[in-house]
Amino acid sequence: MNSTLLQALYEDHIRQRQLLDKIETELRKFGDDHAVPDLELIVLALKYCVDYPARYHHPVEDVLYARILEKQPGLRDTLDKALQDHEVLARLTASFATAMAEMIGGAPRYKALAAGERFISMFRRHMETEETKLFPSARDSLTPEDWDSIDAELKLPDDPLFGENIRDAYLALHRRVLAGSR
Ligand SMILES: [Fe+2]
Ligand SMILES: [Fe+2]
């Protein structure tokens, strides 16, 4: 088994959860008129949440899930749902970012709060399904040859999407968000 790719996906989830926790801490302040939420932290965290899953994490999972489906057709419903989740998550993230921009422009807090809560709960539920059902299934059913061909599919020499420098840029943004938290 090639555990490197799976390990990277698990590590992405750990980072994503850290950001969701930080965002949630700030969102809780939205219900208190005397509290001062760190809006910059939310906006920066959202930048990571908009870009990184769309450019790196979800494309990797999409390839992985297509391969699991070949091995385990019985998982089709769960896999289809996970793939749909990626699109729903992209929409919820964009809606939250828009609601935040409107709130910073003067709109009341409750819309951003509701959009943020939807975004956080969907993200957490999706990652839990992946970690309890899909990642273990990948670990159990894929052969070393499967992992090699997935790797080959992802690491196209001319594809800047999966270059280490791109990933490093997002990791730096993630660290910056955490360093900026109060
Ligand atoms: Fe996913
Ligand atoms: Fe994931």
Side-chain angles (χ1 to χ4, degrees):
M1 181 189 97
N2 177 341
S3 62
T4 312
L5 190 62
L6 205 51
Q7 186 64 31
L9 293 176
Y10 274 115
E11 286 171 7
D12 286 347
H13 282 196
I14 290 169
R15 278 192 292 276
Q16 187 65 47
R17 281 201 179 87
Q18 287 176 323
L19 289 188
L20 294 178
D21 289 348
K22 292 286 177 190
I23 293 172
E24 187 174 47
T25 298
E26 298 310 312
L27 273 183
R28 285 203 193 105
K29 299 176 187 170
F30 282 28
D32 176 357
D33 285 341
H34 301 293
V36 182
D38 186 345
L39 301 183
E40 189 185 359
L41 181 147
I42 298 177
V43 169
L44 272 179
L46 271 174
K47 172 153 182 55
Y48 177 95
C49 296
V50 166
D51 290 344
Y52 186 82
R55 290 181 189 278
Y56 185 83
H57 188 85
H58 291 163
V60 173
E61 288 179 341
D62 291 347
V63 172
L64 180 63
Y65 295 168
R67 194 56 54 97
I68 296 176
L69 182 59
E70 291 171 12
K71 300 278 176 171
Q72 303 210 38
L75 280 176
R76 176 180 285 281
D77 287 351
T78 309
L79 290 162
D80 282 348
K81 174 75 170 54
L83 294 172
Q84 283 167 18
D85 282 356
H86 290 170
E87 293 170 23
V88 175
L89 278 170
R91 283 201 295 275
L92 288 179
T93 311
S95 298
F96 183 27
T98 300
M100 281 299 300
E102 288 171 355
M103 193 195 87
I104 290 167
R109 287 177 170 182
Y110 71 90
K111 280 189 182 169
L113 176 59
E117 286 173 341
R118 275 196 300 275
F119 155 84
I120 288 173
S121 87
M122 174 79 189
F123 232 120
R124 284 184 176 145
R125 190 154 39 84
H126 175 72
M127 290 193 293
E128 192 180 330
T129 300
E130 293 182 324
E131 290 178 6
T132 56
K133 294 187 175 158
L134 300 183
F135 293 176
S137 164
R139 193 170 46 229
D140 295 341
S141 66
L142 300 186
T143 64
E145 292 73 30
D146 290 324
W147 287 108
D148 285 348
S149 76
I150 290 170
D151 266 349
E153 196 171 335
L154 291 173
K155 290 178 182 166
L156 300 172
D158 295 324
D159 188 349
L161 212 55
F162 299 106
E164 283 300 312
N165 55 336
I166 299 291
R167 196 150 189 259
D168 285 351
Y170 288 114
L171 298 185
L173 175 59
H174 178 272
R175 281 195 294 272
R176 194 176 147 206
V177 174
L178 294 190
S181 60
R182 294 160 195 166

